[in-house]
Amino acid sequence: MASRQHERQAETRLKVMRLIAQNPEMSTRQIAERAGISNGSAYYVLTALVEKGFVKLGNFASNPRKGQYAHLLTPKGIREKSLLTHSFIERKREEFVALQAEIEALEREAGLAGEAAPFPQTGPKETARD
């Protein structure tokens, strides 16, 4: 089984690759913000993706600021994104099954087995006055 740190890194790579696929023109700062990571981490992840051949950089042909780049997924990157997505889905399904089993055990322990558990109320109900 993969370590939790490895899983977090894979999840971050997947988030970054999904963001790039949706909008190749995003800046590193925007990627960091949307992925919930620091600017330095975003730069590190993007650099690693470029070095592995999953992402390539391209200039905006029509952009007056010629220093701005687009991050483009390569065919190898598209395959990696697909593999990461599959792995993520499988891990979340396993977590879901484990969580369902834990909920069922807690319901049995609390004597709620077979009953529809009521949703917690957020506060007292308001009643209409006549």
Side-chain angles (χ1 to χ4, degrees), residues 43-113:
Y43 179 80
Y44 176 82
V45 170
L46 285 168
T47 301
L49 291 173
V50 169
E51 288 175 358
K52 291 179 180 182
F54 298 146
V55 172
K56 69 178 182 175
L57 295 176
N59 279 349
F60 292 129
S62 61
N63 192 335
R65 296 185 320 182
K66 297 297 182 192
Q68 194 168 3
Y69 291 93
H71 301 94
L72 306 169
L73 287 178
T74 63
K76 186 177 174 183
I78 292 169
R79 173 151 173 74
E80 178 68 8
K81 179 178 165 273
S82 176
L83 292 171
L84 287 170
T85 300
H86 176 75
S87 175
F88 178 80
I89 290 169
E90 286 302 311
R91 188 170 61 254
K92 292 301 178 181
R93 281 188 178 145
E94 289 170 7
E95 290 174 12
F96 178 72
V97 169
L99 186 57
Q100 277 184 316
E102 184 177 356
I103 289 170
E104 289 171 7
L106 288 170
E107 286 176 340
R108 281 191 303 274
E109 186 179 306
L112 298 173

